[in-house]
Amino acid sequence: MKGAFFIHHLACQPRNVRRLGRRVYVPVYDLQPSRAKRFWLSPFVLFTLTMIFKMYLAAYVIDGGENPLLTLVTGLPTVWAAFFLIELFARKRKIMGYLIVNLAFTAIYFAVIMYYKYFGIIVTYHALSQVGQVTEVKGSVFQLLHPYFMLIFVDIVLCWILLGFNKRLRSDWRKIANRRLMSWRVALPGFILMAAACFAVIWPNRNIANELVQTERMGIVNYEIFLIATSGNESFVPLASVTQKEIDRLKGLQPGTGQPAKFGAAEGRNIIVVQLEAFQNFILNKTVDGQEITPNLNKLIGQSMYFPRFYQQAGSGNTSDAEFLMNTSLYVPLRVPASQAYSGKSLPSLPKLVETKGYETMTFHTNDVSFWNRKELYRALGFNRYYDTNFFGDEDVIAFGASDEVLYRKSVQEMAEVRQETGKPFYSMLISMSAHHPYNIKESKVKLKLSDKYKDSFVGDYMRAQNYADYALGQLIQELKDAKLWENSMLVIYGDHMGLPIYSLNDRDLQLLEELVGQKYDSSQMLNIPLIVTAPGALEPSVESTVGGQSDIMPTIANLIGSKLDDQLHFGQDLLNERSNLLPERYYLPSGSFINDREIFIPGTGYADGKRIELPSSADDSADGGPGSATQEQFDRALKLLRMSDSYVRSLPSTDKDPAPSSGADVSGK
């Protein structure tokens, strides 16, 4: 008989047996699998096993899986809480419920892995605001995507293949899955118990500053739930306490007396700021295979004020955050790019400061101005004009836009014309972009020929890209001289953020870096970017040993052009008149981290179990004047400085009354 099988001499007859003479026919769907089989094939058990694998994969990427028991204790209650809810409420579509939860948890774990590999911190729901930028940086995403990361999707692919193309298997498993594994008398207490367990690991760890430690103690999904429930766990200070006097006190600055050193040394000069993409300090004055990596910058350093102990402070907005920092001397927001969080605020800035001294202000970037919401950021900063892809076109494209050579050539032409037409000095900011991660320079642009030792290495690609960036910078200097702008300008060059994250490098790349740097590559090299200031005939060449960060550039420029910041709140300091510094960090290092004159401090659960990374010593350590090691007081002060900046920016008026910058392409007719 179709749909049944024949059984002889059945000793024990189940219900619904159809008897025809001496023969018994039992429908297939009436066969009861054993209780053990139903348990082990239940979605509750199978998906629990897959979730455990994914927890450990994420933990291995982030901390090497150092605490396997803690990973299980913090991760499993969250998974089971979700599964108990499915068992409690789902009936006919139980498998669908498990598949949806599995996919959601998988997406979280995968996002955490990928974000950590670049930023070194844990992704949060705030990063959803950056999803639209992913297509622009897909090359960077693929470079970070190690093949074994894809194992996290194996069960999803298998389910799709087996259940999607095998109707009988899908039908049989659905019947097993939809049989009640547990009654509500088990599922409801189970959910309550697991929810209580989640609360028990979240609540005691809610005040940990270091997101990595907090995530380890809470569990990845619990950490994300905690941030959603607490609106990001942000903390502010009363606005009345945000004063320049209090900022200076927290930074350990002493009130100045008399005229600051080099005040007005570059007064009246054009200001040209070049932000170099992913440029780190360690490659300066280095040779590889008998070739200088940065010959033009090496030469320029000998004619400039050079700050070798200078560090990035950029956040999740990377390049756009560096623009914000440099132009405002404020700190980046906690978890989102400044161009999104702060672009609606009328920001005190360098463009607005120099405009009061009669400057025309311009910013040049070869990508679309909508990328990272830059048009609104430029309005908030007060630039008169912006130049983007509409001005530069698609000539000689590298990475996201026209090459650095095109950027510099067309920018210099425009600066010369603006100077001639307006008769004003100008402030121009140029955003270099050709050496962008993952450093895929065209073969025709490769100037640095490396040996097979560096073949197919990330470090080799990085050096080739930065060598090209240096080559293009040499073209900029020559074009400024040819346009008669060099002698009456001040050129400021700095890196926007690191290019070689420790967490993205394999053992081979780390070994190549150790050989190149001469020591183990750590955060003191990763965060170290150069600052170079040149004003021919106005500034004597020097190597400045003061520790500095991107928030210090604007006050330093203000001093050199003869502008006081008495009425403009700023969190940075003039590096030419201060010998000690305190730099709060927010990205690439966990919250609560800071840099002082001697070391990088990274907290654990708090200050007491934090770790220290010593900075390279200066040429004259005795002149630094800073403490020998990080203190609890500095830890508290650094956190308060960040909260003060957050509170201050939130209080600023909107940009509703601020004029929008003009498109340089429209103004110039190009």
Side-chain angles (χ1 to χ4, degrees), residues 283-494:
I283 60 175
L284 293 176
N285 292 314
K286 285 286 191 304
T287 60
V288 58
D289 293 337
Q291 307 160 85
E292 287 184 282
I293 303 174
T294 57
N296 292 299
L297 279 169
N298 296 346
K299 181 179 179 181
L300 186 64
I301 285 173
Q303 307 165 11
S304 313
M305 291 191 302
Y306 168 48
F307 298 80
R309 307 178 80 211
F310 192 78
Y311 297 88
Q312 72 168 71
Q313 294 176 283
S316 62
N318 271 340
T319 300
S320 60
D321 272 2
E323 293 174 72
F324 165 82
L325 274 158
M326 179 266 153
N327 280 292
T328 64
S329 192
L330 303 171
Y331 299 135
V332 295
L334 182 58
R335 292 186 176 92
V336 293
S339 59
Q340 294 184 11
Y342 293 162
S343 59
K345 297 293 185 179
S346 185
L347 301 166
S349 67
L350 182 60
K352 293 175 182 177
L353 178 71
V354 299
E355 192 172 24
T356 64
K357 294 176 72 70
Y359 278 70
E360 187 74 13
T361 60
M362 304 172 280
T363 181
F364 300 83
H365 188 286
T366 61
N367 201 355
D368 193 298
V369 73
S370 63
F371 191 46
W372 290 115
N373 201 33
R374 274 189 170 87
K375 187 173 183 179
E376 293 305 313
L377 176 64
Y378 294 155
R379 180 182 185 183
L381 292 173
F383 277 105
N384 301 137
R385 313 182 191 192
Y386 69 85
Y387 298 79
D388 70 341
T389 188
N390 290 325
F391 175 77
F392 292 102
D394 57 3
E395 177 187 353
D396 193 26
V397 171
I398 300 178
F400 309 132
S403 68
D404 283 357
E405 292 173 83
V406 175
L407 165 70
Y408 297 144
R409 172 167 48 82
K410 289 192 172 183
S411 296
V412 171
Q413 291 172 358
E414 187 67 11
M415 287 187 282
E417 290 179 13
V418 168
R419 179 73 195 237
Q420 185 175 5
E421 290 171 4
T422 64
K424 298 180 180 179
F426 58 79
Y427 162 42
S428 292
M429 185 168 193
L430 285 66
I431 311 300
S432 158
M433 200 168 55
S434 292
H436 195 283
H437 188 283
Y439 318 121
N440 296 326
I441 293 292
K442 299 176 183 177
E443 192 61 36
S444 60
K445 298 292 186 183
V446 174
K447 313 293 181 183
L448 186 68
K449 305 301 181 183
L450 298 176
S451 62
D452 289 344
K453 176 181 178 179
Y454 294 96
K455 187 176 181 180
D456 298 327
S457 72
F458 193 43
V459 170
D461 291 342
Y462 177 76
M463 289 192 294
R464 278 187 286 264
Q466 296 301 353
N467 174 259
Y468 169 72
D470 176 84
Y471 166 80
L473 196 64
Q475 302 298 302
L476 168 65
I477 294 170
Q478 187 57 51
E479 285 158 3
L480 287 171
K481 292 177 179 178
D482 294 342
K484 311 299 182 186
L485 294 175
W486 179 255
E487 294 298 328
N488 63 347
S489 297
M490 176 172 64
L491 178 64
V492 179
I493 300 172
Y494 69 99

Side-chain angles (χ1 to χ4, degrees), residues 55-239:
M55 289 176 210
Y56 281 116
L57 179 61
Y60 175 77
V61 173
I62 295 170
D63 61 15
E66 293 181 355
N67 297 293
L69 182 59
L70 185 61
T71 299
L72 199 64
V73 169
T74 59
L76 204 52
T78 324
V79 171
W80 278 351
F83 289 178
F84 277 126
L85 283 178
I86 295 173
E87 292 292 333
L88 190 61
F89 294 108
R91 287 291 182 266
K92 294 183 179 180
R93 298 189 178 275
K94 190 180 292 185
I95 291 179
M96 182 61 69
Y98 276 99
L99 288 173
I100 291 172
V101 170
N102 180 43
L103 185 61
F105 276 58
T106 301
I108 292 171
Y109 288 131
F110 185 70
V112 165
I113 289 171
M114 295 302 296
Y115 208 76
Y116 176 80
K117 291 298 288 183
Y118 191 79
F119 289 106
I121 64 169
I122 303 300
V123 69
T124 69
Y125 68 92
H126 303 84
L128 292 174
S129 63
Q130 304 170 42
V131 168
Q133 317 296 344
V134 170
T135 55
E136 292 281 354
V137 296
K138 56 183 179 293
S140 297
V141 172
F142 287 131
Q143 193 279 329
L144 296 171
L145 190 61
H146 293 276
Y148 75 87
F149 293 172
M150 301 308 293
L151 291 173
I152 204 168
F153 296 107
V154 165
D155 64 309
I156 295 173
V157 174
L158 285 176
C159 282
W160 180 73
I161 293 174
L162 295 176
L163 299 181
F165 293 95
N166 191 317
K167 292 183 179 180
R168 182 172 179 177
L169 180 62
R170 183 168 65 247
S171 176
D172 290 347
W173 197 36
R174 184 184 294 120
K175 289 167 186 173
I176 293 175
N178 286 338
R179 293 182 190 273
R180 178 174 291 183
L181 180 67
M182 60 187 76
S183 69
W184 69 270
R185 292 180 179 86
V186 176
L188 181 58
F191 169 74
I192 294 172
L193 182 62
M194 292 303 103
C198 292
F199 182 81
V201 297
I202 290 174
W203 189 252
N205 299 303
R206 67 192 183 280
N207 293 321
I208 295 175
N210 184 324
E211 296 91 348
L212 296 177
V213 176
Q214 195 171 42
T215 303
E216 181 185 35
R217 299 295 181 89
M218 288 184 177
I220 289 174
V221 179
N222 285 335
Y223 173 71
E224 303 294 342
I225 294 171
F226 166 71
L227 291 183
I228 293 172
T230 59
S231 300
N233 199 31
E234 293 185 81
S235 179
F236 302 97
V237 300
L239 185 60

